[in-house]
Coordinates of all heavy atoms in Angstrom, one line a residue:
T1 N 6.5 8.6 12.8 CA 7.5 8.3 11.9 C 7.6 6.7 11.9 O 7.7 6.1 12.9 CB 8.9 8.8 12.3 OG1 8.7 10.3 12.3 CG2 9.9 8.5 11.3
M2 N 7.7 6.2 10.7 CA 7.8 4.7 10.5 C 8.8 4.4 9.5 O 8.9 5.0 8.4 CB 6.4 4.2 10.0 CG 5.3 4.4 11.0 SD 3.7 4.0 10.3 CE 3.0 5.6 10.1
P3 N 9.7 3.5 9.8 CA 10.8 3.1 8.9 C 10.2 2.4 7.7 O 9.3 1.5 7.8 CB 11.6 2.1 9.7 CG 10.7 1.5 10.7 CD 9.7 2.6 11.1
S4 N 10.7 2.7 6.5 CA 10.2 2.1 5.3 C 11.3 2.0 4.2 O 11.0 1.6 3.1 CB 9.1 2.9 4.7 OG 9.5 4.2 4.2
G5 N 12.5 2.4 4.5 CA 13.5 2.4 3.4 C 13.3 3.6 2.6 O 12.8 4.7 3.0
Y6 N 13.6 3.5 1.3 CA 13.5 4.7 0.3 C 12.1 4.7 -0.3 O 11.8 4.0 -1.2 CB 14.6 4.5 -0.8 CG 14.9 5.7 -1.6 CD1 16.2 6.0 -1.9 CD2 13.9 6.5 -2.2 CE1 16.5 7.1 -2.7 CE2 14.1 7.5 -3.0 CZ 15.5 7.9 -3.2 OH 15.7 8.9 -4.0
S7 N 11.2 5.5 0.4 CA 9.9 5.6 -0.1 C 9.7 6.5 -1.2 O 10.3 7.6 -1.3 CB 9.0 6.1 1.1 OG 9.1 5.3 2.2
L8 N 8.9 6.1 -2.2 CA 8.6 6.9 -3.4 C 7.2 7.4 -3.5 O 6.9 8.4 -4.2 CB 9.0 6.1 -4.7 CG 10.5 5.8 -4.8 CD1 10.7 4.9 -6.1 CD2 11.3 7.0 -4.9
C9 N 6.3 6.7 -3.0 CA 4.8 7.0 -3.1 C 4.1 6.4 -1.9 O 4.5 5.5 -1.3 CB 4.2 6.5 -4.4 SG 4.5 4.8 -4.7
C10 N 2.9 7.0 -1.6 CA 2.1 6.5 -0.5 C 0.7 6.9 -0.7 O 0.4 7.8 -1.5 CB 2.6 6.9 0.8 SG 2.7 8.7 1.0
A11 N -0.2 6.2 0.0 CA -1.6 6.6 0.0 C -2.3 6.1 1.3 O -1.9 5.1 1.9 CB -2.3 5.9 -1.2
F12 N -3.3 6.9 1.7 CA -4.1 6.4 2.9 C -5.2 5.5 2.4 O -5.8 5.8 1.3 CB -4.7 7.6 3.6 CG -3.8 8.5 4.3 CD1 -3.3 9.6 3.8 CD2 -3.3 8.1 5.5 CE1 -2.4 10.4 4.5 CE2 -2.4 8.8 6.3 CZ -1.9 10.0 5.7
V13 N -5.4 4.4 3.1 CA -6.4 3.5 2.8 C -7.8 4.1 3.3 O -7.7 4.7 4.4 CB -6.1 2.1 3.5 CG1 -7.3 1.1 3.3 CG2 -4.8 1.5 2.9
P14 N -8.9 3.9 2.6 CA -10.1 4.4 3.1 C -10.4 3.9 4.6 O -10.1 2.8 4.9 CB -11.2 3.8 2.2 CG -10.4 3.6 0.9 CD -9.0 3.2 1.3
G15 N -10.9 4.8 5.4 CA -11.1 4.5 6.8 C -10.0 5.2 7.7 O -10.1 5.2 8.9
E16 N -8.9 5.6 7.0 CA -7.8 6.4 7.6 C -7.2 5.7 8.8 O -6.7 6.4 9.7 CB -8.4 7.8 8.0 CG -8.9 8.6 6.8 CD -9.4 9.9 7.1 OE1 -9.2 10.4 8.2 OE2 -10.0 10.5 6.2
M17 N -7.2 4.4 8.8 CA -6.5 3.6 9.9 C -5.1 3.0 9.3 O -4.4 2.6 10.1 CB -7.4 2.5 10.4 CG -8.6 3.1 11.1 SD -9.8 1.8 11.6 CE -8.8 0.8 12.7
H18 N -5.0 3.0 8.0 CA -3.8 2.4 7.4 C -3.3 3.2 6.3 O -4.0 4.0 5.7 CB -4.2 1.0 6.9 CG -4.8 0.1 7.9 ND1 -6.1 0.0 8.1 CD2 -4.2 -0.8 8.7 CE1 -6.4 -0.9 9.0 NE2 -5.2 -1.4 9.4
A19 N -2.0 3.0 6.0 CA -1.4 3.7 4.9 C -0.6 2.6 4.1 O 0.0 1.7 4.7 CB -0.5 4.8 5.3
I20 N -0.4 2.8 2.8 CA 0.3 1.9 1.9 C 1.5 2.8 1.4 O 1.3 3.9 0.9 CB -0.4 1.4 0.7 CG1 -1.7 0.7 1.2 CG2 0.4 0.5 -0.2 CD1 -2.7 0.3 0.1
V21 N 2.7 2.2 1.4 CA 3.9 2.9 1.0 C 4.6 2.1 -0.1 O 4.7 0.8 0.0 CB 4.9 3.2 2.1 CG1 6.2 3.7 1.7 CG2 4.3 4.1 3.2
G22 N 5.0 2.7 -1.2 CA 5.7 2.1 -2.3 C 7.2 2.5 -2.2 O 7.5 3.7 -1.9
T23 N 8.1 1.6 -2.4 CA 9.5 1.9 -2.2 C 10.3 1.8 -3.5 O 9.9 1.2 -4.5 CB 10.1 0.9 -1.2 OG1 10.3 -0.4 -1.7 CG2 9.4 0.8 0.1
K24 N 11.5 2.3 -3.4 CA 12.5 2.2 -4.5 C 12.9 0.8 -4.8 O 13.1 0.5 -6.0 CB 13.8 3.0 -4.1 CG 14.8 3.1 -5.2 CD 16.0 3.9 -4.8 CE 17.0 4.0 -5.9 NZ 18.2 4.8 -5.5
G25 N 12.8 -0.1 -3.9 CA 13.1 -1.6 -4.1 C 11.9 -2.3 -4.7 O 12.0 -3.5 -4.9
G26 N 10.8 -1.6 -4.9 CA 9.6 -2.3 -5.5 C 8.7 -3.0 -4.4 O 7.8 -3.8 -4.8
R27 N 8.9 -2.6 -3.2 CA 8.0 -3.2 -2.1 C 6.8 -2.4 -1.8 O 6.8 -1.2 -2.0 CB 8.9 -3.4 -0.9 CG 10.1 -4.2 -1.1 CD 10.8 -4.7 0.1 NE 10.0 -5.8 0.8 CZ 10.0 -7.1 0.3 NH1 10.6 -7.4 -0.8 NH2 9.3 -8.0 1.0
L28 N 5.7 -3.1 -1.5 CA 4.5 -2.4 -0.9 C 4.5 -2.7 0.5 O 4.6 -3.9 1.0 CB 3.3 -3.0 -1.6 CG 2.7 -2.4 -2.8 CD1 1.6 -3.2 -3.3 CD2 2.3 -1.0 -2.6
I29 N 4.4 -1.7 1.4 CA 4.3 -1.9 2.8 C 3.0 -1.3 3.3 O 2.7 -0.1 3.1 CB 5.5 -1.2 3.5 CG1 6.8 -1.7 2.9 CG2 5.5 -1.5 5.0 CD1 8.1 -0.9 3.4
L30 N 2.2 -2.1 4.1 CA 1.0 -1.6 4.7 C 1.3 -1.4 6.2 O 1.7 -2.3 6.9 CB -0.1 -2.7 4.5 CG -1.4 -2.4 5.2 CD1 -2.1 -1.2 4.5 CD2 -2.3 -3.7 5.1
Y31 N 1.0 -0.2 6.6 CA 1.2 0.2 8.0 C -0.2 0.4 8.7 O -1.1 1.0 8.1 CB 1.9 1.5 8.1 CG 3.3 1.5 7.6 CD1 3.7 1.8 6.4 CD2 4.3 1.1 8.6 CE1 5.0 1.7 6.0 CE2 5.7 1.0 8.2 CZ 6.0 1.4 6.9 OH 7.3 1.3 6.5
K32 N -0.2 0.1 10.0 CA -1.3 0.5 10.9 C -0.9 1.8 11.5 O 0.1 1.9 12.2 CB -1.5 -0.6 12.0 CG -2.7 -0.3 12.9 CD -2.9 -1.4 13.9 CE -4.1 -1.2 14.8 NZ -4.3 -2.3 15.7
L33 N -1.7 2.9 11.2 CA -1.2 4.2 11.6 C -1.2 4.5 13.1 O -0.3 5.2 13.5 CB -2.1 5.3 10.9 CG -2.0 5.3 9.4 CD1 -3.1 6.3 8.8 CD2 -0.7 5.7 9.0
S34 N -2.0 3.9 13.8 CA -2.1 4.1 15.3 C -0.9 3.6 16.0 O -0.5 4.1 17.0 CB -3.4 3.5 15.9 OG -3.4 2.1 15.8
T35 N -0.2 2.5 15.4 CA 0.9 1.9 16.2 C 2.2 2.0 15.4 O 3.3 1.7 15.9 CB 0.6 0.5 16.5 OG1 0.5 -0.3 15.3 CG2 -0.6 0.3 17.4
G36 N 2.1 2.2 14.1 CA 3.3 2.1 13.2 C 3.7 0.7 12.8 O 4.7 0.5 12.2
E37 N 2.9 -0.2 13.3 CA 3.1 -1.7 13.0 C 3.0 -1.9 11.5 O 2.1 -1.4 10.8 CB 2.1 -2.5 13.7 CG 2.1 -4.0 13.4 CD 1.0 -4.7 14.1 OE1 0.2 -4.2 14.7 OE2 1.0 -6.0 14.0
I38 N 3.9 -2.7 10.9 CA 3.9 -3.2 9.5 C 3.0 -4.4 9.5 O 3.3 -5.4 10.1 CB 5.3 -3.5 9.0 CG1 6.1 -2.3 8.9 CG2 5.2 -4.2 7.6 CD1 7.6 -2.5 8.5
L39 N 1.9 -4.3 8.8 CA 0.9 -5.4 8.7 C 1.2 -6.3 7.5 O 0.9 -7.5 7.5 CB -0.5 -4.8 8.5 CG -1.0 -4.0 9.7 CD1 -2.4 -3.4 9.4 CD2 -1.0 -4.8 11.0
S40 N 1.8 -5.8 6.5 CA 2.2 -6.5 5.2 C 3.4 -5.9 4.6 O 3.4 -4.6 4.5 CB 1.0 -6.6 4.3 OG 1.3 -7.4 3.2
D41 N 4.2 -6.7 4.0 CA 5.4 -6.2 3.3 C 5.7 -7.1 2.1 O 6.1 -8.3 2.4 CB 6.6 -6.1 4.2 CG 7.9 -5.5 3.5 OD1 7.9 -5.4 2.3 OD2 8.8 -5.2 4.3
I42 N 5.3 -6.8 0.9 CA 5.5 -7.7 -0.2 C 6.3 -7.1 -1.3 O 6.3 -5.8 -1.5 CB 4.1 -8.1 -0.8 CG1 3.3 -6.9 -1.3 CG2 3.3 -8.9 0.3 CD1 2.1 -7.4 -2.2
Q43 N 7.0 -7.9 -2.1 CA 7.7 -7.5 -3.3 C 6.6 -7.4 -4.4 O 6.1 -8.4 -4.9 CB 8.7 -8.5 -3.7 CG 9.6 -8.1 -4.8 CD 10.5 -6.9 -4.4 OE1 11.1 -6.9 -3.3 NE2 10.6 -5.9 -5.3
A44 N 6.3 -6.1 -4.8 CA 5.2 -5.9 -5.8 C 5.8 -5.7 -7.2 O 5.1 -6.0 -8.1 CB 4.5 -4.7 -5.4
H45 N 7.0 -5.1 -7.4 CA 7.5 -4.9 -8.7 C 9.0 -5.2 -8.7 O 9.7 -5.1 -7.7 CB 7.3 -3.4 -9.0 CG 5.9 -3.0 -9.4 ND1 5.5 -3.1 -10.7 CD2 4.9 -2.6 -8.6 CE1 4.2 -2.7 -10.7 NE2 3.8 -2.4 -9.4
D46 N 9.5 -5.5 -9.9 CA 11.0 -5.7 -10.0 C 11.5 -4.3 -10.4 O 11.4 -3.8 -11.5 CB 11.3 -6.6 -11.2 CG 10.9 -8.0 -10.8 OD1 10.9 -8.4 -9.7 OD2 10.4 -8.8 -11.8
G47 N 12.1 -3.6 -9.4 CA 12.6 -2.2 -9.6 C 11.7 -1.3 -8.8 O 10.7 -1.8 -8.1
A48 N 11.9 0.0 -8.9 CA 11.2 1.0 -8.2 C 9.7 0.9 -8.4 O 9.2 0.7 -9.5 CB 11.7 2.3 -8.5
L49 N 9.0 1.2 -7.3 CA 7.5 1.3 -7.4 C 7.2 2.8 -7.4 O 7.3 3.5 -6.4 CB 6.9 0.6 -6.1 CG 5.4 0.3 -6.3 CD1 5.0 -0.8 -5.3 CD2 4.5 1.5 -6.1
W50 N 7.0 3.3 -8.6 CA 6.9 4.7 -8.8 C 5.6 5.4 -8.4 O 5.5 6.5 -8.0 CB 7.2 5.1 -10.3 CG 8.5 4.8 -10.8 CD1 9.0 3.9 -11.6 CD2 9.7 5.5 -10.3 NE1 10.3 3.9 -11.8 CE2 10.8 4.9 -10.9 CE3 10.0 6.5 -9.4 CZ2 12.1 5.3 -10.7 CZ3 11.3 6.9 -9.1 CH2 12.3 6.3 -9.8
S51 N 4.4 4.7 -8.6 CA 3.2 5.3 -8.3 C 2.2 4.3 -7.7 O 2.3 3.1 -7.9 CB 2.6 5.9 -9.6 OG 2.4 4.9 -10.6
L52 N 1.2 4.9 -7.0 CA 0.2 4.2 -6.2 C -1.0 5.1 -6.1 O -0.9 6.2 -5.8 CB 0.8 3.9 -4.9 CG 0.0 3.5 -3.6 CD1 -0.8 2.2 -3.9 CD2 0.9 3.3 -2.5
D53 N -2.2 4.5 -6.4 CA -3.4 5.3 -6.3 C -4.5 4.4 -5.9 O -4.7 3.3 -6.4 CB -3.7 6.0 -7.6 CG -4.7 7.1 -7.5 OD1 -5.0 7.6 -6.4 OD2 -5.3 7.5 -8.5
I54 N -5.3 4.8 -4.9 CA -6.5 4.1 -4.5 C -7.6 4.2 -5.5 O -7.8 5.3 -6.1 CB -7.0 4.6 -3.1 CG1 -5.9 4.6 -2.1 CG2 -8.2 3.9 -2.6 CD1 -5.5 3.2 -1.6
R55 N -8.3 3.1 -5.8 CA -9.5 3.1 -6.7 C -10.5 4.0 -6.2 O -10.7 4.1 -4.9 CB -10.0 1.7 -6.9 CG -9.2 0.8 -7.7 CD -9.8 -0.6 -7.9 NE -11.1 -0.9 -7.5 CZ -11.6 -2.1 -7.4 NH1 -10.9 -3.1 -7.7 NH2 -12.8 -2.3 -6.9
P56 N -11.3 4.6 -7.1 CA -12.4 5.6 -6.6 C -13.4 4.8 -5.7 O -14.0 5.5 -4.8 CB -13.0 6.0 -7.9 CG -12.0 5.9 -8.9 CD -11.1 4.7 -8.5
D57 N -13.7 3.6 -5.9 CA -14.6 2.9 -5.0 C -14.0 2.4 -3.7 O -14.7 1.9 -2.9 CB -15.2 1.7 -5.8 CG -14.3 0.6 -6.1 OD1 -13.1 0.6 -5.6 OD2 -14.7 -0.4 -6.8
G58 N -12.7 2.7 -3.5 CA -12.0 2.4 -2.2 C -11.8 0.9 -2.0 O -11.5 0.5 -0.9
R59 N -11.9 0.0 -3.0 CA -11.8 -1.4 -2.8 C -10.5 -2.0 -3.4 O -10.4 -3.2 -3.5 CB -13.0 -2.1 -3.4 CG -14.3 -1.6 -2.8 CD -15.5 -2.3 -3.2 NE -15.5 -3.6 -2.5 CZ -16.4 -4.5 -2.6 NH1 -17.4 -4.3 -3.3 NH2 -16.3 -5.7 -2.0
G60 N -9.6 -1.2 -3.7 CA -8.4 -1.6 -4.3 C -7.5 -0.5 -4.7 O -7.8 0.7 -4.4
F61 N -6.4 -0.8 -5.4 CA -5.5 0.2 -5.8 C -4.7 -0.2 -7.0 O -4.7 -1.4 -7.4 CB -4.5 0.7 -4.7 CG -3.7 -0.4 -4.0 CD1 -2.4 -0.6 -4.4 CD2 -4.2 -1.2 -3.1 CE1 -1.6 -1.6 -3.8 CE2 -3.5 -2.2 -2.4 CZ -2.2 -2.4 -2.9
V62 N -4.0 0.6 -7.7 CA -3.1 0.4 -8.8 C -1.8 0.8 -8.5 O -1.6 1.9 -7.8 CB -3.7 1.0 -10.1 CG1 -3.8 2.5 -10.0 CG2 -2.9 0.6 -11.3
T63 N -0.7 0.1 -8.9 CA 0.7 0.5 -8.8 C 1.3 0.5 -10.2 O 1.0 -0.2 -11.1 CB 1.5 -0.4 -7.9 OG1 1.4 -1.8 -8.4 CG2 0.9 -0.4 -6.5
G64 N 2.3 1.4 -10.3 CA 3.1 1.4 -11.5 C 4.6 1.4 -11.1 O 5.0 2.0 -10.2
G65 N 5.4 0.6 -11.9 CA 6.8 0.4 -11.5 C 7.8 0.5 -12.6 O 7.4 0.6 -13.8
A66 N 9.0 0.5 -12.2 CA 10.1 0.6 -13.2 C 10.2 -0.6 -14.1 O 10.9 -0.6 -15.1 CB 11.4 0.8 -12.4
D67 N 9.5 -1.7 -13.7 CA 9.4 -2.8 -14.5 C 8.5 -2.7 -15.7 O 8.2 -3.7 -16.4 CB 9.1 -4.1 -13.7 CG 7.8 -3.9 -12.9 OD1 7.1 -3.0 -13.1 OD2 7.5 -4.9 -12.1
K68 N 7.9 -1.5 -15.9 CA 7.0 -1.2 -17.0 C 5.7 -1.9 -16.9 O 5.1 -2.2 -17.9 CB 7.7 -1.4 -18.3 CG 8.9 -0.6 -18.5 CD 9.5 -0.8 -19.9 CE 10.8 0.0 -20.0 NZ 11.5 -0.3 -21.3
L69 N 5.3 -2.2 -15.6 CA 4.0 -2.9 -15.4 C 3.1 -2.0 -14.6 O 3.6 -1.3 -13.7 CB 4.2 -4.2 -14.7 CG 5.0 -5.3 -15.5 CD1 5.2 -6.5 -14.5 CD2 4.3 -5.7 -16.7
A70 N 1.8 -2.1 -14.9 CA 0.8 -1.5 -14.0 C 0.1 -2.7 -13.4 O -0.3 -3.7 -14.1 CB -0.2 -0.7 -14.8
K71 N 0.0 -2.8 -12.0 CA -0.7 -3.9 -11.4 C -1.9 -3.4 -10.6 O -1.8 -2.3 -10.0 CB 0.4 -4.5 -10.4 CG 1.5 -5.2 -11.2 CD 2.4 -6.0 -10.2 CE 3.5 -6.7 -11.0 NZ 4.3 -7.5 -10.1
F72 N -2.9 -4.2 -10.6 CA -4.1 -3.9 -10.0 C -4.4 -4.8 -8.8 O -4.2 -6.0 -8.9 CB -5.3 -4.0 -11.0 CG -5.2 -3.0 -12.1 CD1 -4.4 -3.3 -13.2 CD2 -5.8 -1.7 -12.0 CE1 -4.3 -2.3 -14.2 CE2 -5.7 -0.8 -13.0 CZ -4.9 -1.1 -14.2
W73 N -4.6 -4.2 -7.6 CA -4.7 -4.9 -6.4 C -6.1 -4.7 -5.8 O -6.7 -3.6 -5.9 CB -3.7 -4.4 -5.4 CG -2.3 -4.4 -5.9 CD1 -1.8 -3.4 -6.7 CD2 -1.3 -5.3 -5.7 NE1 -0.4 -3.7 -7.0 CE2 -0.1 -4.9 -6.4 CE3 -1.2 -6.5 -5.0 CZ2 1.1 -5.5 -6.4 CZ3 0.0 -7.2 -5.0 CH2 1.2 -6.7 -5.7
D74 N -6.7 -5.7 -5.2 CA -8.0 -5.6 -4.5 C -7.7 -5.8 -3.0 O -6.8 -6.5 -2.6 CB -8.9 -6.7 -4.9 CG -9.4 -6.5 -6.4 OD1 -9.6 -5.4 -6.8 OD2 -9.4 -7.5 -7.1
F75 N -8.5 -5.1 -2.2 CA -8.5 -5.4 -0.7 C -9.9 -5.3 -0.2 O -10.8 -4.7 -0.8 CB -7.5 -4.5 0.0 CG -7.7 -3.0 -0.1 CD1 -8.7 -2.4 0.4 CD2 -6.8 -2.3 -0.9 CE1 -8.9 -1.0 0.3 CE2 -6.9 -0.9 -1.0 CZ -8.0 -0.3 -0.4
E76 N -10.1 -5.9 1.0 CA -11.4 -5.8 1.7 C -11.1 -5.1 3.0 O -10.3 -5.4 3.8 CB -11.8 -7.3 1.9 CG -13.2 -7.3 2.6 CD -13.7 -8.7 2.8 OE1 -13.0 -9.7 2.3 OE2 -14.7 -8.9 3.5
L77 N -12.0 -4.1 3.2 CA -11.9 -3.4 4.5 C -12.7 -4.2 5.5 O -13.9 -4.5 5.3 CB -12.4 -2.0 4.3 CG -11.7 -1.1 3.3 CD1 -12.4 0.2 3.2 CD2 -10.2 -0.9 3.7
V78 N -12.0 -4.5 6.6 CA -12.7 -5.3 7.7 C -12.7 -4.5 8.9 O -11.7 -4.0 9.4 CB -11.9 -6.6 7.9 CG1 -12.5 -7.5 9.0 CG2 -11.8 -7.4 6.6
N79 N -13.9 -4.4 9.5 CA -14.1 -3.7 10.8 C -13.8 -4.7 11.9 O -14.5 -5.6 12.1 CB -15.5 -3.1 10.9 CG -15.7 -2.3 12.1 OD1 -14.8 -2.2 13.0 ND2 -16.8 -1.7 12.2
T80 N -12.7 -4.4 12.7 CA -12.4 -5.3 13.8 C -12.7 -4.8 15.1 O -12.3 -5.3 16.1 CB -10.9 -5.6 13.7 OG1 -10.1 -4.4 13.8 CG2 -10.5 -6.4 12.4
K81 N -13.4 -3.7 15.2 CA -13.8 -3.1 16.4 C -14.9 -4.0 17.2 O -15.8 -4.4 16.5 CB -14.4 -1.7 16.3 CG -13.4 -0.6 15.9 CD -14.1 0.7 15.7 CE -13.0 1.7 15.3 NZ -13.7 3.1 15.1
S82 N -14.6 -4.2 18.5 CA -15.6 -5.0 19.2 C -16.7 -4.0 19.7 O -16.5 -2.9 20.1 CB -14.9 -5.6 20.5 OG -13.9 -6.5 20.0
S83 N -17.9 -4.6 19.8 CA -19.1 -3.8 20.3 C -19.2 -3.8 21.8 O -18.8 -4.7 22.5 CB -20.4 -4.3 19.7 OG -20.3 -4.2 18.3

């Protein structure tokens, strides 16, 4: 269980080590699943963040909010495991 406020949508990031949560306040929160640590918390929309979906190629996602905007986000998956 991880605190996030009023969550409306969520998705697992490819690699299944992180999750993204969208909130009623329009925030995007990125969690590290193994620890529950918040890695990023940004104001993504003015008003509720209603929807969130990972791109089919796994290199980004799209959000839709009460501000009547669809926003496209890119991310890079980085392997931080030591050999």
Side-chain angles (χ1 to χ4, degrees):
T1 303
M2 297 172 249
S4 66
Y6 196 133
S7 300
L8 296 175
C9 54
C10 61
F12 288 101
V13 175
E16 301 179 13
M17 294 176 57
H18 303 91
I20 304 170
V21 174
T23 71
K24 184 177 179 182
R27 302 193 75 73
L28 269 176
I29 305 171
L30 176 65
Y31 291 95
K32 183 174 182 178
L33 294 175
S34 63
T35 64
E37 177 186 2
I38 294 174
L39 300 176
S40 182
D41 182 349
I42 63 167
Q43 186 66 45
H45 287 270
D46 294 326
L49 198 156
W50 291 114
S51 61
L52 160 64
D53 196 17
I54 302 293
R55 283 182 9 196
D57 66 5
R59 301 187 72 179
F61 57 98
V62 61
T63 59
D67 54 7
K68 300 180 183 177
L69 295 175
K71 294 187 177 184
F72 296 85
W73 308 81
D74 293 319
F75 56 74
E76 181 179 354
L77 300 175
V78 178
N79 185 355
T80 59
K81 290 182 181 178
S82 299
S83 300

